[in-house]
Amino acid sequence: LARQRHQSTMASPAFRAASLGMSARILSTAEPCIVAMQTFLREISPPPISLAQGIVSWQPPDEAMAAARAALGESTVHSYGPDAGLPELREALANELEARGIDKSANEVMVTSGANQAYMNIVLTLMGDGDRAILFAPFYFNHAMAVQMAVGADNLVVGPSSSSDLLPDLSWLEETLEADPSIKMVTLTNPGNPTGVTLPPAMLEAASEICARTNTWLVVDNTYHHFCGGWYNGPSHTCITGDHILNVFSFSKAYGMMGWRVGYISAPSHVFPQLMKAQDTIPICPSTMSQRVALGALSAGQEWVDAKVASLQQNHDMVRAGIERALGSSAVRGGTGALYLMVELPTVGDPAGPADDMAVVEWLAREHGVCVIPGTACGLPGSVRVCFANLPPEPTRQAAERLEVGLTELAAGRGPAVSE
Protein backbone atom coordinates (compact mmCIF):
# COMPACT_ATOMS: atom_id res chain seq x y z
CA LEU A 1 0.00 0.00 0.00
CA ALA A 2 2.82 2.41 0.89
CA ARG A 3 4.54 1.59 -2.43
CA GLN A 4 1.29 2.25 -4.31
CA ARG A 5 0.89 5.60 -2.57
CA HIS A 6 4.49 6.53 -3.37
CA GLN A 7 4.03 5.60 -7.02
CA SER A 8 0.76 7.56 -7.15
CA THR A 9 2.44 10.64 -5.68
CA MET A 10 5.33 10.42 -8.15
CA ALA A 11 2.84 10.22 -11.01
CA SER A 12 0.88 13.31 -9.91
CA PRO A 13 1.10 16.45 -12.09
CA ALA A 14 2.30 18.55 -9.14
CA PHE A 15 5.15 16.16 -8.36
CA ARG A 16 6.08 15.91 -12.03
CA ALA A 17 6.17 19.69 -12.43
CA ALA A 18 8.31 20.09 -9.30
CA SER A 19 10.77 17.44 -10.40
CA LEU A 20 11.12 18.90 -13.89
CA GLY A 21 11.51 22.42 -12.59
CA MET A 22 10.05 25.67 -13.87
CA SER A 23 11.33 29.17 -14.43
CA ALA A 24 12.27 30.90 -11.19
CA ARG A 25 11.09 34.13 -12.76
CA ILE A 26 7.63 32.86 -13.62
CA LEU A 27 7.33 31.27 -10.18
CA SER A 28 8.21 34.62 -8.59
CA THR A 29 5.59 36.43 -10.67
CA ALA A 30 2.44 37.51 -8.83
CA GLU A 31 -0.73 35.56 -9.47
CA PRO A 32 -3.03 37.32 -11.96
CA CYS A 33 -5.50 39.30 -9.86
CA ILE A 34 -8.40 39.22 -12.32
CA VAL A 35 -8.13 35.45 -12.80
CA ALA A 36 -8.17 34.93 -9.03
CA MET A 37 -11.22 37.16 -8.73
CA GLN A 38 -13.06 35.32 -11.50
CA THR A 39 -12.32 31.99 -9.84
CA PHE A 40 -13.82 32.80 -6.46
CA LEU A 41 -16.73 34.76 -7.96
CA ARG A 42 -17.84 31.63 -9.80
CA GLU A 43 -18.57 30.10 -6.39
CA ILE A 44 -21.03 32.86 -5.43
CA SER A 45 -24.70 32.68 -6.34
CA PRO A 46 -26.33 34.91 -7.32
CA PRO A 47 -23.30 36.54 -8.96
CA PRO A 48 -22.20 39.85 -7.41
CA ILE A 49 -22.47 43.09 -9.37
CA SER A 50 -18.98 44.00 -10.51
CA LEU A 51 -17.17 47.28 -9.96
CA ALA A 52 -13.93 45.39 -10.40
CA GLN A 53 -12.46 44.80 -13.86
CA GLY A 54 -11.39 47.94 -15.71
CA ILE A 55 -13.70 47.88 -18.72
CA VAL A 56 -16.38 50.13 -20.20
CA SER A 57 -20.00 49.18 -20.72
CA TRP A 58 -20.38 50.45 -24.29
CA GLN A 59 -19.85 48.68 -27.57
CA PRO A 60 -17.56 49.87 -30.39
CA PRO A 61 -18.94 52.55 -32.72
CA ASP A 62 -21.13 51.54 -35.65
CA GLU A 63 -18.30 52.41 -38.04
CA ALA A 64 -16.10 49.80 -36.33
CA MET A 65 -18.72 47.08 -36.66
CA ALA A 66 -19.31 47.98 -40.31
CA ALA A 67 -15.57 47.66 -40.89
CA ALA A 68 -15.65 44.21 -39.27
CA ARG A 69 -18.44 43.03 -41.53
CA ALA A 70 -16.69 44.36 -44.62
CA ALA A 71 -13.39 42.76 -43.64
CA LEU A 72 -14.97 39.30 -43.48
CA GLY A 73 -14.97 39.25 -47.27
CA GLU A 74 -11.29 40.08 -47.55
CA SER A 75 -8.89 37.17 -47.99
CA THR A 76 -6.15 39.20 -46.25
CA VAL A 77 -7.80 38.86 -42.85
CA HIS A 78 -6.97 35.15 -42.88
CA SER A 79 -3.27 35.65 -43.63
CA TYR A 80 -0.30 37.01 -41.75
CA GLY A 81 -0.06 40.77 -42.00
CA PRO A 82 2.86 43.18 -41.58
CA ASP A 83 4.63 42.58 -38.28
CA ALA A 84 4.31 46.18 -37.11
CA GLY A 85 0.70 46.55 -38.22
CA LEU A 86 -1.27 47.66 -41.26
CA PRO A 87 0.46 50.66 -42.88
CA GLU A 88 -2.78 52.64 -43.09
CA LEU A 89 -3.48 52.18 -39.37
CA ARG A 90 0.09 53.02 -38.39
CA GLU A 91 -0.05 56.18 -40.50
CA ALA A 92 -3.39 57.23 -39.02
CA LEU A 93 -2.05 56.73 -35.50
CA ALA A 94 1.21 58.53 -36.25
CA ASN A 95 -0.76 61.53 -37.50
CA GLU A 96 -2.98 61.52 -34.42
CA LEU A 97 0.04 61.30 -32.13
CA GLU A 98 1.81 64.11 -33.95
CA ALA A 99 -1.17 66.31 -33.16
CA ARG A 100 -0.52 65.40 -29.52
CA GLY A 101 3.13 66.42 -29.74
CA ILE A 102 4.90 63.18 -30.71
CA ASP A 103 7.05 63.87 -33.78
CA LYS A 104 6.43 61.15 -36.35
CA SER A 105 9.77 61.82 -38.04
CA ALA A 106 11.58 60.71 -34.87
CA ASN A 107 9.19 58.00 -33.65
CA GLU A 108 7.52 54.95 -35.17
CA VAL A 109 4.23 53.26 -34.36
CA MET A 110 3.91 49.53 -33.71
CA VAL A 111 0.44 47.98 -33.42
CA THR A 112 0.17 45.21 -30.84
CA SER A 113 -2.36 42.73 -29.48
CA GLY A 114 -3.44 45.06 -26.71
CA ALA A 115 -1.52 47.45 -24.47
CA ASN A 116 -0.33 44.61 -22.22
CA GLN A 117 1.51 43.03 -25.14
CA ALA A 118 2.89 46.44 -26.05
CA TYR A 119 4.30 46.79 -22.53
CA MET A 120 5.73 43.26 -22.60
CA ASN A 121 7.48 44.02 -25.91
CA ILE A 122 9.04 47.06 -24.26
CA VAL A 123 10.18 45.23 -21.13
CA LEU A 124 11.78 42.45 -23.19
CA THR A 125 13.52 45.03 -25.39
CA LEU A 126 14.84 47.38 -22.70
CA MET A 127 15.59 45.07 -19.76
CA GLY A 128 18.46 42.59 -19.44
CA ASP A 129 19.91 40.30 -16.79
CA GLY A 130 20.52 42.22 -13.58
CA ASP A 131 18.61 45.29 -14.76
CA ARG A 132 15.99 46.76 -12.47
CA ALA A 133 12.76 48.67 -13.12
CA ILE A 134 10.71 51.14 -11.09
CA LEU A 135 6.94 51.22 -10.65
CA PHE A 136 5.16 53.53 -8.22
CA ALA A 137 2.65 52.11 -5.75
CA PRO A 138 -0.18 51.75 -6.30
CA PHE A 139 0.75 50.22 -9.64
CA TYR A 140 -1.03 48.39 -12.44
CA PHE A 141 -0.62 44.73 -11.52
CA ASN A 142 0.13 43.55 -15.07
CA HIS A 143 3.05 45.99 -15.28
CA ALA A 144 4.49 44.39 -12.16
CA MET A 145 3.93 40.91 -13.55
CA ALA A 146 5.67 41.77 -16.83
CA VAL A 147 8.78 42.99 -15.01
CA GLN A 148 8.76 40.04 -12.63
CA MET A 149 8.55 37.41 -15.36
CA ALA A 150 11.15 39.15 -17.56
CA VAL A 151 13.88 39.93 -15.01
CA GLY A 152 12.69 38.46 -11.70
CA ALA A 153 10.73 39.82 -8.76
CA ASP A 154 13.89 40.98 -6.99
CA ASN A 155 14.52 43.43 -9.80
CA LEU A 156 11.20 45.23 -9.41
CA VAL A 157 11.70 48.40 -7.35
CA VAL A 158 8.48 49.90 -5.98
CA GLY A 159 8.56 53.62 -5.31
CA PRO A 160 6.27 55.68 -3.08
CA SER A 161 3.46 58.02 -4.03
CA SER A 162 2.11 60.83 -1.90
CA SER A 163 -0.53 59.59 0.52
CA SER A 164 -2.95 62.42 -0.22
CA ASP A 165 -3.07 62.54 -4.03
CA LEU A 166 -1.21 59.37 -5.10
CA LEU A 167 1.23 61.31 -7.31
CA PRO A 168 4.66 59.64 -7.72
CA ASP A 169 7.42 60.92 -5.45
CA LEU A 170 9.92 62.44 -7.87
CA SER A 171 12.39 63.41 -5.13
CA TRP A 172 12.63 59.72 -4.23
CA LEU A 173 12.98 58.89 -7.94
CA GLU A 174 15.87 61.27 -8.43
CA GLU A 175 17.73 60.05 -5.35
CA THR A 176 17.16 56.40 -6.25
CA LEU A 177 18.27 56.69 -9.88
CA GLU A 178 21.39 58.61 -8.90
CA ALA A 179 22.28 55.96 -6.32
CA ASP A 180 21.45 52.80 -8.31
CA PRO A 181 22.77 52.58 -11.90
CA SER A 182 21.26 49.10 -12.29
CA ILE A 183 17.82 50.70 -12.67
CA LYS A 184 17.20 50.94 -16.41
CA MET A 185 13.48 51.69 -16.72
CA VAL A 186 10.79 53.78 -15.02
CA THR A 187 7.08 53.39 -15.78
CA LEU A 188 4.41 56.02 -15.27
CA THR A 189 0.72 55.47 -16.05
CA ASN A 190 -1.15 58.58 -17.15
CA PRO A 191 -3.98 58.74 -16.21
CA GLY A 192 -3.31 56.16 -13.56
CA ASN A 193 -4.52 52.62 -13.15
CA PRO A 194 -5.41 51.97 -10.34
CA THR A 195 -5.08 55.51 -8.99
CA GLY A 196 -7.49 57.35 -11.29
CA VAL A 197 -5.03 60.27 -11.15
CA THR A 198 -3.94 62.37 -14.14
CA LEU A 199 -0.34 63.56 -13.94
CA PRO A 200 0.25 67.32 -14.28
CA PRO A 201 2.32 68.22 -17.38
CA ALA A 202 5.08 69.72 -15.21
CA MET A 203 5.44 66.42 -13.35
CA LEU A 204 5.84 64.51 -16.61
CA GLU A 205 8.50 66.97 -17.77
CA ALA A 206 10.35 66.67 -14.46
CA ALA A 207 10.28 62.86 -14.60
CA SER A 208 11.57 62.97 -18.18
CA GLU A 209 14.43 65.26 -17.20
CA ILE A 210 15.43 63.05 -14.26
CA CYS A 211 15.41 59.93 -16.44
CA ALA A 212 17.34 61.61 -19.26
CA ARG A 213 20.02 62.86 -16.86
CA THR A 214 20.47 59.40 -15.30
CA ASN A 215 20.39 57.48 -18.63
CA THR A 216 17.15 55.73 -17.72
CA TRP A 217 14.31 54.73 -20.04
CA LEU A 218 10.92 56.29 -19.30
CA VAL A 219 7.82 54.33 -20.33
CA VAL A 220 4.46 56.10 -20.19
CA ASP A 221 1.29 54.02 -20.40
CA ASN A 222 -1.39 56.31 -21.88
CA THR A 223 -4.16 53.70 -22.08
CA TYR A 224 -6.66 56.10 -20.48
CA HIS A 225 -5.58 59.26 -22.29
CA HIS A 226 -9.16 60.02 -23.40
CA PHE A 227 -10.42 59.86 -19.81
CA CYS A 228 -9.39 63.16 -18.21
CA GLY A 229 -10.02 66.91 -18.34
CA GLY A 230 -13.59 68.17 -18.62
CA TRP A 231 -15.84 66.90 -15.84
CA TYR A 232 -12.92 65.10 -14.17
CA ASN A 233 -11.80 68.49 -12.80
CA GLY A 234 -8.13 67.67 -13.29
CA PRO A 235 -5.37 68.22 -15.83
CA SER A 236 -5.89 67.39 -19.47
CA HIS A 237 -3.75 64.63 -20.91
CA THR A 238 -0.28 65.53 -22.15
CA CYS A 239 2.05 63.38 -24.22
CA ILE A 240 5.76 63.55 -23.61
CA THR A 241 8.47 62.45 -26.01
CA GLY A 242 12.23 62.08 -26.29
CA ASP A 243 14.89 59.63 -27.40
CA HIS A 244 14.62 57.89 -23.99
CA ILE A 245 10.79 57.72 -23.91
CA LEU A 246 8.38 55.06 -25.15
CA ASN A 247 4.61 55.59 -25.09
CA VAL A 248 1.89 52.93 -24.89
CA PHE A 249 -1.73 53.41 -26.03
CA SER A 250 -4.86 51.26 -26.38
CA PHE A 251 -8.16 51.03 -28.25
CA SER A 252 -9.70 48.91 -25.50
CA LYS A 253 -11.27 51.51 -23.24
CA ALA A 254 -12.35 54.56 -25.22
CA TYR A 255 -13.69 52.54 -28.14
CA GLY A 256 -15.14 49.63 -26.14
CA MET A 257 -12.80 47.24 -27.95
CA MET A 258 -11.49 45.18 -25.03
CA GLY A 259 -11.95 41.83 -26.79
CA TRP A 260 -10.49 42.97 -30.11
CA ARG A 261 -7.06 43.40 -28.45
CA VAL A 262 -5.55 46.42 -30.20
CA GLY A 263 -2.83 48.49 -28.57
CA TYR A 264 0.13 50.39 -29.94
CA ILE A 265 3.57 51.70 -29.11
CA SER A 266 5.17 54.97 -30.13
CA ALA A 267 8.93 54.45 -29.87
CA PRO A 268 12.06 56.33 -30.95
CA SER A 269 13.15 55.12 -34.38
CA HIS A 270 16.45 53.78 -33.05
CA VAL A 271 14.57 51.41 -30.70
CA PHE A 272 12.09 50.15 -33.28
CA PRO A 273 14.22 47.39 -34.91
CA GLN A 274 14.79 45.80 -31.50
CA LEU A 275 11.09 45.96 -30.61
CA MET A 276 10.41 44.09 -33.85
CA LYS A 277 12.28 41.07 -32.47
CA ALA A 278 9.83 40.77 -29.59
CA GLN A 279 6.89 41.48 -31.88
CA ASP A 280 7.82 38.80 -34.39
CA THR A 281 8.33 36.25 -31.63
CA ILE A 282 5.13 36.85 -29.66
CA PRO A 283 2.20 37.59 -32.02
CA ILE A 284 4.14 37.65 -35.34
CA CYS A 285 1.62 40.33 -36.31
CA PRO A 286 -1.49 41.87 -34.81
CA SER A 287 -4.85 40.57 -36.01
CA THR A 288 -5.76 42.06 -39.38
CA MET A 289 -9.47 41.86 -38.56
CA SER A 290 -8.94 43.75 -35.29
CA GLN A 291 -6.95 46.42 -37.08
CA ARG A 292 -9.75 46.89 -39.62
CA VAL A 293 -12.10 47.41 -36.69
CA ALA A 294 -9.65 49.92 -35.19
CA LEU A 295 -9.58 51.91 -38.43
CA GLY A 296 -13.37 51.94 -38.41
CA ALA A 297 -13.37 53.13 -34.81
CA LEU A 298 -11.05 56.02 -35.64
CA SER A 299 -13.39 57.11 -38.42
CA ALA A 300 -16.15 57.62 -35.84
CA GLY A 301 -14.26 60.72 -34.71
CA GLN A 302 -13.25 62.23 -31.40
CA GLU A 303 -16.78 63.48 -30.81
CA TRP A 304 -18.00 59.89 -30.43
CA VAL A 305 -15.34 59.19 -27.78
CA ASP A 306 -15.99 62.48 -25.97
CA ALA A 307 -19.71 61.70 -25.69
CA LYS A 308 -19.01 58.28 -24.17
CA VAL A 309 -16.51 59.68 -21.69
CA ALA A 310 -18.94 62.46 -20.71
CA SER A 311 -21.59 59.81 -19.97
CA LEU A 312 -19.41 58.39 -17.19
CA GLN A 313 -19.86 61.40 -14.91
CA GLN A 314 -23.19 60.08 -13.64
CA ASN A 315 -21.64 56.72 -12.73
CA HIS A 316 -18.65 58.39 -11.08
CA ASP A 317 -20.82 60.68 -8.99
CA MET A 318 -23.11 57.87 -7.79
CA VAL A 319 -20.23 55.61 -6.77
CA ARG A 320 -18.17 58.35 -5.15
CA ALA A 321 -21.12 59.73 -3.20
CA GLY A 322 -21.92 56.32 -1.75
CA ILE A 323 -18.33 55.73 -0.66
CA GLU A 324 -18.08 59.18 0.91
CA ARG A 325 -21.30 58.72 2.86
CA ALA A 326 -19.92 55.47 4.25
CA LEU A 327 -16.31 56.40 4.95
CA GLY A 328 -16.00 60.16 4.53
CA SER A 329 -14.51 62.15 1.67
CA SER A 330 -10.92 61.67 2.87
CA ALA A 331 -11.17 57.92 2.17
CA VAL A 332 -11.53 58.51 -1.57
CA ARG A 333 -8.45 59.28 -3.65
CA GLY A 334 -8.14 59.70 -7.37
CA GLY A 335 -10.94 60.58 -9.73
CA THR A 336 -9.09 63.10 -11.94
CA GLY A 337 -8.78 60.56 -14.74
CA ALA A 338 -9.26 56.99 -15.97
CA LEU A 339 -12.09 54.77 -14.68
CA TYR A 340 -11.15 54.32 -11.03
CA LEU A 341 -11.34 55.49 -7.46
CA MET A 342 -8.93 54.25 -4.79
CA VAL A 343 -10.64 53.81 -1.44
CA GLU A 344 -8.76 53.68 1.85
CA LEU A 345 -10.43 51.17 4.16
CA PRO A 346 -10.89 51.89 7.88
CA THR A 347 -7.95 50.90 10.04
CA VAL A 348 -8.45 48.06 12.49
CA GLY A 349 -6.96 46.67 15.66
CA ASP A 350 -5.00 48.16 18.55
CA PRO A 351 -2.65 49.64 17.59
CA ALA A 352 -4.55 50.51 14.41
CA GLY A 353 -3.28 49.01 11.17
CA PRO A 354 -4.42 48.50 7.59
CA ALA A 355 -7.55 46.46 7.06
CA ASP A 356 -7.19 43.08 5.35
CA ASP A 357 -8.34 44.23 1.93
CA MET A 358 -8.33 40.70 0.52
CA ALA A 359 -10.77 39.58 3.22
CA VAL A 360 -12.87 42.72 2.74
CA VAL A 361 -13.17 42.12 -1.01
CA GLU A 362 -14.37 38.55 -0.50
CA TRP A 363 -16.76 39.64 2.26
CA LEU A 364 -18.24 42.40 0.08
CA ALA A 365 -18.79 39.89 -2.73
CA ARG A 366 -20.32 37.17 -0.57
CA GLU A 367 -22.30 39.24 1.92
CA HIS A 368 -23.20 42.35 -0.06
CA GLY A 369 -23.16 41.20 -3.68
CA VAL A 370 -20.65 43.72 -5.01
CA CYS A 371 -17.14 43.12 -6.28
CA VAL A 372 -14.06 45.40 -6.21
CA ILE A 373 -10.31 44.87 -6.58
CA PRO A 374 -8.03 44.47 -3.52
CA GLY A 375 -5.38 47.16 -3.14
CA THR A 376 -2.81 44.51 -2.20
CA ALA A 377 -2.77 43.42 -5.86
CA CYS A 378 -1.66 46.97 -6.74
CA GLY A 379 0.91 47.37 -3.98
CA LEU A 380 -1.37 49.36 -1.64
CA PRO A 381 -2.67 47.12 1.17
CA GLY A 382 -5.60 48.38 3.18
CA SER A 383 -7.40 49.82 0.17
CA VAL A 384 -9.60 48.76 -2.74
CA ARG A 385 -9.90 49.85 -6.36
CA VAL A 386 -13.40 50.69 -7.58
CA CYS A 387 -14.24 50.92 -11.29
CA PHE A 388 -17.22 53.11 -12.18
CA ALA A 389 -17.28 52.51 -15.94
CA ASN A 390 -18.07 48.85 -16.46
CA LEU A 391 -21.87 49.04 -16.05
CA PRO A 392 -24.70 51.19 -17.39
CA PRO A 393 -26.17 53.74 -14.93
CA GLU A 394 -28.94 51.62 -13.37
CA PRO A 395 -26.80 48.60 -12.37
CA THR A 396 -24.11 51.06 -11.30
CA ARG A 397 -26.64 52.66 -8.94
CA GLN A 398 -27.45 49.23 -7.50
CA ALA A 399 -23.77 48.39 -7.09
CA ALA A 400 -23.06 51.76 -5.45
CA GLU A 401 -25.87 51.16 -2.95
CA ARG A 402 -24.53 47.71 -2.08
CA LEU A 403 -21.02 49.06 -1.71
CA GLU A 404 -22.23 51.87 0.54
CA VAL A 405 -24.05 49.43 2.81
CA GLY A 406 -21.02 47.16 3.04
CA LEU A 407 -18.55 49.95 3.73
CA THR A 408 -20.89 51.47 6.33
CA GLU A 409 -20.92 48.14 8.17
CA LEU A 410 -17.15 47.93 7.84
CA ALA A 411 -16.73 51.41 9.33
CA ALA A 412 -18.99 50.38 12.22
CA GLY A 413 -16.71 47.45 13.04
CA ARG A 414 -18.89 44.71 11.58
CA GLY A 415 -16.64 43.50 8.76
CA PRO A 416 -14.12 40.68 8.40
CA ALA A 417 -11.10 42.90 8.99
CA VAL A 418 -12.45 43.59 12.48
CA SER A 419 -13.99 40.25 13.34
CA GLU A 420 -10.91 38.22 12.41
Side-chain angles (χ1 to χ4, degrees), residues 84 90 93-94 97 102 107-112 114-123 125 219-220 245-250 262-268 271-272 275-276 278-279:
R90 294 178 63 205
L93 294 173
L97 293 177
I102 297 180
N107 295 272
E108 295 191 52
V109 171
M110 172 179 287
V111 184
T112 58
N116 272 4
Q117 193 237 312
Y119 188 75
M120 194 75 220
N121 279 9
I122 290 170
V123 173
T125 300
V219 180
V220 184
I245 298 174
L246 291 85
N247 282 281
V248 173
F249 299 87
S250 175
V262 184
Y264 52 106
I265 303 168
S266 174
V271 180
F272 200 78
L275 283 168
M276 286 290 285
Q279 178 82 341

Side-chain angles (χ1 to χ4, degrees), residues 63-311:
E63 292 87 342
M65 295 297 89
R69 289 189 291 270
L72 285 173
E74 299 177 13
S75 61
T76 56
V77 301
H78 309 297
S79 302
Y80 291 122
D83 277 26
L86 296 177
E88 56 267 44
L89 179 57
R90 294 178 63 205
E91 180 66 17
L93 294 173
N95 290 337
E96 182 181 286
L97 293 177
E98 188 158 59
R100 293 178 172 272
I102 297 180
D103 183 3
K104 69 178 183 179
S105 69
N107 295 272
E108 295 191 52
V109 171
M110 172 179 287
V111 184
T112 58
S113 298
N116 272 4
Q117 193 237 312
Y119 188 75
M120 194 75 220
N121 279 9
I122 290 170
V123 173
L124 292 172
T125 300
L126 303 185
M127 302 289 291
D129 289 342
D131 290 343
R132 310 181 81 200
I134 287 177
L135 301 177
F136 286 91
F139 47 73
Y140 175 41
F141 38 79
N142 283 136
H143 285 168
M145 293 172 67
V147 172
Q148 290 166 341
M149 68 177 64
V151 293
D154 291 343
N155 289 316
L156 173 60
V157 180
V158 178
S161 299
S162 61
S163 59
S164 58
D165 53 19
L166 299 181
L167 291 172
D169 186 337
L170 295 192
S171 295
W172 174 90
L173 177 67
E174 185 171 25
E175 293 172 4
T176 302
L177 291 181
E178 289 177 348
D180 189 351
S182 70
I183 296 174
K184 301 300 183 185
M185 189 181 88
V186 174
T187 298
L188 298 175
T189 306
N190 184 40
N193 175 8
T195 63
V197 172
T198 303
L199 302 181
M203 174 166 278
L204 280 173
E205 292 287 351
S208 172
E209 190 278 328
I210 292 169
C211 289
R213 181 161 37 83
T214 55
N215 293 317
T216 308
W217 294 104
L218 175 60
V219 180
V220 184
D221 187 336
N222 305 274
T223 290
Y224 299 92
H225 71 280
H226 292 287
F227 298 86
C228 57
W231 67 263
Y232 282 94
N233 295 319
S236 296
H237 182 267
T238 301
C239 283
I240 192 166
T241 187
D243 62 5
H244 63 298
I245 298 174
L246 291 85
N247 282 281
V248 173
F249 299 87
S250 175
F251 278 82
S252 291
K253 314 301 180 181
Y255 293 103
M257 287 176 53
M258 291 77 64
W260 289 99
R261 310 308 304 133
V262 184
Y264 52 106
I265 303 168
S266 174
S269 298
H270 65 93
V271 180
F272 200 78
Q274 308 311 316
L275 283 168
M276 286 290 285
K277 297 175 183 178
Q279 178 82 341
D280 189 68
T281 302
I282 301 174
I284 299 180
C285 62
S287 160
T288 299
M289 173 67 87
S290 295
Q291 292 179 88
R292 294 293 188 204
V293 173
L295 280 164
L298 288 177
S299 73
Q302 186 62 42
E303 296 80 9
W304 186 92
V305 174
D306 291 344
K308 293 298 184 183
V309 173
S311 73

Side-chain angles (χ1 to χ4, degrees), residues 313-381:
Q313 182 175 7
Q314 180 183 1
N315 281 16
H316 166 273
D317 292 351
M318 285 189 292
V319 172
R320 184 168 194 137
I323 297 168
E324 291 184 350
R325 284 192 294 268
L327 301 180
S329 59
S330 63
V332 184
R333 291 175 286 180
T336 60
L339 315 176
Y340 310 109
L341 299 170
M342 287 299 290
V343 180
E344 184 177 9
L345 299 173
T347 55
V348 297
D350 186 17
D356 183 346
D357 55 280
M358 301 289 285
V360 169
V361 165
E362 185 166 354
W363 173 75
L364 286 171
R366 293 186 185 280
E367 301 300 323
H368 294 279
V370 63
C371 184
V372 294
I373 292 290
T376 294
C378 311
L380 194 65

Side-chain angles (χ1 to χ4, degrees), residues 41-53:
L41 288 175
R42 281 196 291 268
E43 304 171 356
I44 303 175
S45 182
I49 303 176
S50 178
L51 297 175
Q53 191 168 15

